[in-house]
Amino acid sequence: MTDSGVKGPIRAVLIDLSGTLHIEDQIIGGSLDALRRLREASVNIRFITNTTKEGTRSLKERLRCLGIEIGEGEYFGSLTAARRYLIEHQLRPHLMIDSKAMEDFEGISTEDPDCVVVGLAPEHFDFAPMNKAFRLLYDGASLIAVHKARYYMTGSGGLALGPGPFVEVLECAADVTATVVGKPERRFFLDALTDLNIPPEHTVMIGDDVKDDVDGAQKVGMTGILVRTGKYRPGDEHKIDRPPDHVCEDFSEAVDIIIDIVTKQSNVEDAPPP
């Protein structure tokens, strides 16, 4: 590791969305200008998210209205990973997913389900739907968690329960272990880089969740930057075995660090041989 905390030349930057660039329909101050500056640097950008409250098309459109333009191939989300997993394993899901996210599962049969897929869907977390899921699991269906985030930041400034606690209730009741497909799973981070052909050592992850964003990324060899926005709470940086490579006040400060490192790398690469 270099003094900058970066493990190799920066070729790609993975950016969390909710809590890092925006909170619901509010942009976090300075994020748009910082994103513009990052795009001007010689790095590839991927937006990665565990958001399951709405489908990919709807999310991209909402972000576009906020000023966050996501280009073709720049997005990789946990719903994308969940759909891919279902297709690869030829599974028929019982979907405990927000109605606004159902568009991401179009074309996948839900007849005679052999698995239960859980995302952030408060309308499914009452007794009756949870009990239906429990019975399917108890009868042999597998459990798939789109992610297991414990909580998230709402637009009103307060925290709200994520799907993680409800997934753990089902795990406990049915005596099963969920397969998690979103952050912080190793495959999720690596799949986000597949089309870029860039190794984790040349990649930086920026996010507000010390466990799902930073710890997950660092465990696959990426550089992790924790931002003190969104769900961040004082002391979060001490809640993982290996502290974040960098802790920044916000996305803008994180971009300042990356641009500084990229500029120094460029100067070294352009320097004539001794």
Side-chain angles (χ1 to χ4, degrees):
M1 184 181 294
T2 66
D3 290 341
S4 67
V6 176
K7 303 161 185 61
I10 299 175
R11 302 298 183 215
V13 179
L14 304 185
I15 306 169
D16 173 55
L17 288 166
S18 180
T20 301
L21 295 182
H22 72 102
I23 297 174
E24 294 190 353
D25 290 331
Q26 297 181 351
I27 289 291
I28 294 173
S31 294
L32 294 183
D33 180 67
L35 184 57
R36 176 191 58 77
R37 292 187 289 114
L38 186 60
R39 286 193 179 282
E40 292 173 354
S42 300
V43 295
N44 295 278
I45 292 175
R46 289 294 179 271
F47 300 93
I48 67 173
T49 179
N50 270 347
T51 294
T52 62
K53 293 184 292 183
E54 58 193 313
T56 301
R57 289 192 299 269
S58 301
L59 175 61
K60 285 183 176 180
E61 177 59 25
R62 183 163 65 86
L63 293 176
R64 188 190 65 78
C65 292
L66 296 179
I68 302 174
E69 296 282 352
I70 298 180
E72 187 68 30
E74 287 188 335
Y75 176 90
F76 189 74
S78 57
L79 289 174
T80 312
R83 180 184 177 87
R84 179 180 297 179
Y85 185 88
L86 293 173
I87 293 173
E88 285 180 357
H89 293 83
Q90 299 181 337
L91 295 172
R92 303 179 305 277
H94 169 64
L95 295 168
M96 297 182 71
I97 298 290
D98 192 293
S99 58
K100 296 189 293 295
M102 287 295 187
E103 63 184 45
D104 280 36
F105 297 92
E106 291 175 358
I108 293 180
S109 174
T110 57
E111 300 261 339
D112 188 22
D114 54 9
C115 69
V116 175
V117 177
V118 182
L120 180 59
E123 70 270 24
H124 289 295
F125 294 153
D126 291 335
F127 178 81
M130 287 288 285
N131 197 51
K132 180 178 180 179
F134 158 70
R135 288 178 174 176
L136 286 169
L137 296 170
Y138 198 78
D139 287 340
S142 57
L143 178 59
I144 300 167
V146 181
H147 64 89
K148 289 183 74 175
R150 296 167 298 159
Y151 51 83
Y152 66 98
M153 174 63 72
T154 67
S156 62
L159 296 176
L161 283 173
F166 301 95
V167 172
E168 293 192 7
V169 166
L170 292 172
E171 287 181 313
C172 177
D175 194 21
V176 297
T177 300
T179 296
V180 183
V181 296
K183 295 182 290 184
E185 293 304 299
R186 176 182 181 84
R187 179 175 174 179
F188 181 87
F189 285 104
L190 297 180
D191 281 356
L193 294 174
T194 298
D195 65 319
L196 294 175
N197 197 29
I198 293 174
E201 294 76 14
H202 299 304
T203 304
V204 176
M205 172 71 211
I206 307 173
D208 65 316
D209 189 315
V210 71
K211 293 185 178 180
D212 286 357
D213 294 328
V214 177
D215 194 40
Q218 291 183 169
K219 282 180 175 176
V220 300
M222 298 179 184
T223 296
I225 300 182
L226 177 66
V227 291
R228 295 190 177 107
T229 54
K231 67 168 62 173
Y232 171 85
R233 290 294 182 270
D236 277 359
E237 53 267 52
H238 305 301
K239 293 180 179 178
I240 56 178
D241 292 336
R242 201 190 99 207
D245 293 310
H246 295 278
V247 180
C248 298
E249 287 304 312
D250 53 25
F251 178 70
S252 183
E253 184 179 326
V255 169
D256 289 341
I257 290 174
I258 291 171
I259 290 177
D260 181 61
I261 294 171
V262 169
T263 300
K264 290 177 180 177
Q265 288 173 181
S266 179
N267 291 339
V268 170
E269 292 170 357
D270 293 342

